[in-house]
Amino acid sequence: MNSKHRVTRHLVGVALCGAALFSPLALAASTSLQELASKPQDYLGQEVEMEAYCVKNGRSGDVIGYECTSQDGVYVDADDIEPEAAKEKLAGDCAGGGCMATIQFVPHSYSTSSAIEPGKTVTVFNAEKAKVSF
């Protein structure tokens, strides 16, 4: 292989790596809650990051797993959370949803409801797992 082909291959490889690093799926950027609520379908399968209060089994005790709630009516129901230290903190210091956390998740579905918060329509995202940090 001559040097011209090696340089071209190298440049293509660098360009592909750069595109992967900066694609929306590769980075979890903080997301506008208004944008999440107004266009939830755009975020299915995308990694999302937001600030929320999380509690095991939900605020009403009717969620299997964990419920994380933003102050603006965006909910995330996650079957599980990670890391293990976050589970311990939610069971201890933050029991009942008393601590604000940063959560990262990839929603697989969503719904809207006007029954969860009276007088308000909320968006509920469903995810298999969420990464929670305090």
Side-chain angles (χ1 to χ4, degrees), residues 83-127:
E84 196 63 36
K87 290 180 187 180
E88 292 169 9
K89 186 160 178 116
L90 288 176
D93 297 344
C94 299
C99 298
M100 178 67 77
T102 299
I103 65 167
Q104 294 175 327
F105 63 98
V106 177
H108 58 74
S109 63
Y110 75 92
S111 61
T112 58
S113 172
S114 56
I116 295 173
E117 290 186 27
K120 192 178 194 181
T121 299
V122 300
T123 303
V124 180
F125 287 98
N126 300 296

Side-chain angles (χ1 to χ4, degrees), residues 54-59 61-68 76-81 90 127-128:
C54 297
V55 62
K56 184 175 172 110
N57 299 323
R59 294 186 309 172
D62 59 351
V63 173
I64 297 173
Y66 295 82
E67 177 182 80
C68 299
V76 177
D77 289 350
D79 297 338
D80 196 12
I81 62 167
L90 288 176
E128 290 180 21

Side-chain angles (χ1 to χ4, degrees), residues 17-83:
C17 288
L21 286 174
F22 294 106
S23 74
L25 292 174
L27 298 175
S30 238
T31 306
S32 157
L33 294 176
Q34 292 79 19
E35 185 76 13
L36 273 172
S38 67
K39 298 180 181 178
Q41 68 281 358
D42 291 353
Y43 294 92
L44 296 179
Q46 304 270 342
E47 189 169 78
V48 177
E49 180 178 284
M50 65 182 228
E51 301 291 316
Y53 293 94
C54 297
V55 62
K56 184 175 172 110
N57 299 323
R59 294 186 309 172
S60 301
D62 59 351
V63 173
I64 297 173
Y66 295 82
E67 177 182 80
C68 299
T69 310
S70 77
Q71 293 177 331
D72 295 324
V74 175
Y75 284 61
V76 177
D77 289 350
D79 297 338
D80 196 12
I81 62 167
E82 61 182 16

